[in-house]
Amino acid sequence: MREPNFSESQLQQAVNAAFIRHIFEVRGEWAFANIPSLCAEYDLGWDTAFYFRWLPHPPVDEHEGCNFFIQYKLSGLLTSAGAKQWEFWRSEYFRFKIPHSTQNDSGEYIDDYHQWDRLKELANKNYPTFYATNDTLSKSDIKTKSDNGSLLESMPILDVRHVNDKHKFGTFTNE
């Protein structure tokens, strides 16, 4: 698997700025990106949240008064016919992991779906709740799209409201 040459934080910063720019261009308003501490993120389930007054969803007090939620994940590119979902895609594909890996009491790594569960709670109340990830491995591609205002157009976004079961990975292609 090939990994991107940027961090999840870099992706988050670029996409948050793109959302703020888009809202200003469309509505003439500045949006504020709420970004919790890592400790608070565990309880909240999201990396960034906004309050958009025009959405038909009331602010959620226990989620910093927001009504639009994003969890960022980095995707790697799988290029081998031996990759797990290769038979489905029949070409190289991107993949991000949904659960966190954490150690249990005996030191074994297990999948922790706590973050997913928190996101799904919001999604089940019909709040706009998304996973956002990269469709490139290149920081310069992200910068170019950010500079020309096209980052949101190419951003793979998974609406959690439409996912019914727990999954270990999200996969997609650029086609």
Side-chain angles (χ1 to χ4, degrees):
M1 180 162 64
R2 295 176 42 212
E3 300 289 341
N5 69 351
F6 52 87
S7 67
E8 183 181 300
S9 297
Q10 182 73 68
L11 178 69
Q12 179 179 0
Q13 185 278 329
V15 176
N16 286 350
F19 269 113
I20 292 166
R21 175 182 179 172
H22 178 75
I23 297 304
F24 183 76
E25 289 172 350
V26 171
R27 298 206 165 256
E29 298 178 18
W30 290 108
F32 182 78
N34 290 281
I35 302 169
S37 69
L38 286 176
C39 195
E41 180 190 339
Y42 180 80
D43 289 329
L44 296 169
W46 44 265
D47 286 322
T48 298
F50 293 93
Y51 173 69
F52 297 137
R53 63 178 178 78
W54 58 86
L55 289 180
H57 306 84
V60 185
D61 289 337
E62 62 271 16
H63 287 275
E64 300 189 19
C66 296
N67 62 358
F68 185 95
F69 307 94
I70 306 167
Q71 174 55 239
Y72 291 97
K73 295 289 187 179
L74 276 186
S75 288
L77 182 65
L78 287 96
T79 60
S80 164
K84 195 164 190 161
Q85 291 86 15
W86 189 272
E87 284 190 32
F88 178 80
W89 292 113
R90 302 257 184 230
S91 66
E92 61 183 32
Y93 62 94
F94 284 90
R95 179 176 80 181
F96 65 92
K97 188 175 179 191
I98 292 174
H100 285 288
S101 291
T102 187
Q103 284 185 306
N104 64 15
D105 292 338
S106 60
E108 298 170 306
Y109 282 95
I110 59 169
D111 291 329
D112 179 355
Y113 283 90
H114 177 78
Q115 183 183 68
W116 160 260
D117 292 336
R118 295 295 289 152
L119 288 173
K120 193 60 180 157
E121 286 172 15
L122 288 164
N124 286 344
K125 294 176 185 172
N126 203 32
Y127 279 92
T129 309
F130 304 96
Y131 281 106
T133 190
N134 52 294
D135 67 343
T136 180
L137 301 178
S138 167
K139 185 192 295 188
S140 66
D141 286 351
I142 297 243
K143 182 179 182 326
T144 298
K145 290 175 184 179
S146 182
D147 289 347
N148 69 27
S150 67
L151 185 59
L152 294 180
E153 295 167 19
S154 68
M155 181 66 42
I157 296 179
L158 174 63
D159 189 335
V160 177
R161 294 173 293 184
H162 301 297
V163 180
N164 296 319
D165 299 319
K166 287 182 180 175
H167 296 273
K168 186 168 184 167
F169 297 107
T171 64
F172 60 96
T173 66
N174 279 338
E175 298 170 11

